[in-house]
Amino acid sequence: MKGLQRGLIADASPLIAFAKIQKLNLLKILFSKVFITELVARELGISKSSISSQFPESKALLDAITDGWLIVTNNAQIANNSYQPINPGVDEGEASAIAIAIEKQTELPGIPLLIDDRCGRAEASLRGLKIIGSAAILILAKEYKLIDSCAALLAQMRRNGYYLSDELIATVLSQVNE
């Protein structure tokens, strides 16, 4: 199945979360191509086709890069220091993902940015970017019948230490009738 959307830009945390629950393939199916920056790749424990073993999930992420659907891209705005986040709570990886999302808008208008961190989401919103979170990815996956249950995967993400508020989980489960 070819990607249902035109592409996605991703921050590190959601990729790790999906890799930990062994559902990284949902991003491939839903979006075809997922772009990350070199800085995000380093946060994932990946650099120049090798794994630093920082995360056990790094192997799955490196495989996605090798398969060609997770694409590490240079970020001119970061390299040239022409983008600086307004919000001081935005870390370097999030800033690089936001900067590449800004750059990609001319090539792929409206391409969403997968980011869950509150500060990062606020920054992306200030920049007028389309944002999507991990929970929304699961909602899409359920709508396209790629998964049977959002509840089970959200619970698994939580067990793996991924922060998801009770309110967010309740909203998602209500939306997908679980």
Side-chain angles (χ1 to χ4, degrees), residues 9 100-112 128-130:
I9 296 159
I100 200 71
I102 293 167
E103 284 181 16
K104 287 277 184 198
Q105 292 307 306
T106 54
E107 177 188 342
L108 296 166
I111 187 171
L129 298 172
K130 181 178 178 183

Side-chain angles (χ1 to χ4, degrees), residues 98-173:
I98 292 167
I100 200 71
I102 293 167
E103 284 181 16
K104 287 277 184 198
Q105 292 307 306
T106 54
E107 177 188 342
L108 296 166
I111 187 171
L113 171 63
L114 175 57
I115 190 167
D116 286 334
D117 178 79
R118 184 175 296 183
C119 290
R121 289 174 71 89
E123 177 78 19
S125 183
L126 280 171
R127 303 295 178 156
L129 298 172
K130 181 178 178 183
I131 341 173
I132 190 166
S134 297
I137 297 289
L138 293 178
I139 291 169
L140 274 175
K142 175 110 187 231
E143 287 173 358
Y144 285 108
K145 299 181 181 359
L146 301 173
I147 60 172
D148 295 326
S149 170
C150 285
L153 295 175
L154 290 167
Q156 193 176 355
M157 286 174 136
R158 260 189 166 177
R159 280 192 305 275
N160 289 332
Y162 203 67
Y163 177 76
L164 300 163
S165 72
D166 291 338
E167 181 183 351
L168 175 64
I169 289 175
T171 300
V172 169
L173 297 182

Side-chain angles (χ1 to χ4, degrees), residues 8-174:
L8 178 74
I9 296 159
D11 184 34
S13 298
L15 292 175
I16 293 167
F18 280 103
K20 280 185 175 187
I21 63 169
Q22 299 176 353
K23 291 296 179 186
L24 205 52
N25 67 318
L26 293 176
L27 300 176
K28 177 184 178 182
I29 294 167
L30 291 168
F31 296 96
S32 259
K33 297 198 179 302
V34 178
F35 300 95
I36 61 172
T37 65
E38 291 172 341
L39 189 56
V40 168
R42 282 197 306 271
E43 287 183 354
L44 296 171
I46 300 167
S47 81
K48 305 246 192 233
S49 301
S50 65
I51 303 170
S52 72
S53 75
Q54 183 178 1
F55 302 105
E57 298 75 26
S58 294
K59 171 80 170 90
L61 293 159
L62 181 59
D63 289 346
I65 291 169
T66 303
D67 289 345
W69 66 267
L70 184 60
I71 301 162
V72 181
T73 184
N74 290 328
N75 191 314
Q77 287 190 25
I78 293 295
N80 299 331
N81 290 323
S82 62
Y83 167 77
Q84 293 295 318
I86 297 166
N87 188 327
V90 175
D91 72 25
E92 289 180 336
E94 293 158 357
S96 73
I98 292 167
I100 200 71
I102 293 167
E103 284 181 16
K104 287 277 184 198
Q105 292 307 306
T106 54
E107 177 188 342
L108 296 166
I111 187 171
L113 171 63
L114 175 57
I115 190 167
D116 286 334
D117 178 79
R118 184 175 296 183
C119 290
R121 289 174 71 89
E123 177 78 19
S125 183
L126 280 171
R127 303 295 178 156
L129 298 172
K130 181 178 178 183
I131 341 173
I132 190 166
S134 297
I137 297 289
L138 293 178
I139 291 169
L140 274 175
K142 175 110 187 231
E143 287 173 358
Y144 285 108
K145 299 181 181 359
L146 301 173
I147 60 172
D148 295 326
S149 170
C150 285
L153 295 175
L154 290 167
Q156 193 176 355
M157 286 174 136
R158 260 189 166 177
R159 280 192 305 275
N160 289 332
Y162 203 67
Y163 177 76
L164 300 163
S165 72
D166 291 338
E167 181 183 351
L168 175 64
I169 289 175
T171 300
V172 169
L173 297 182
S174 172

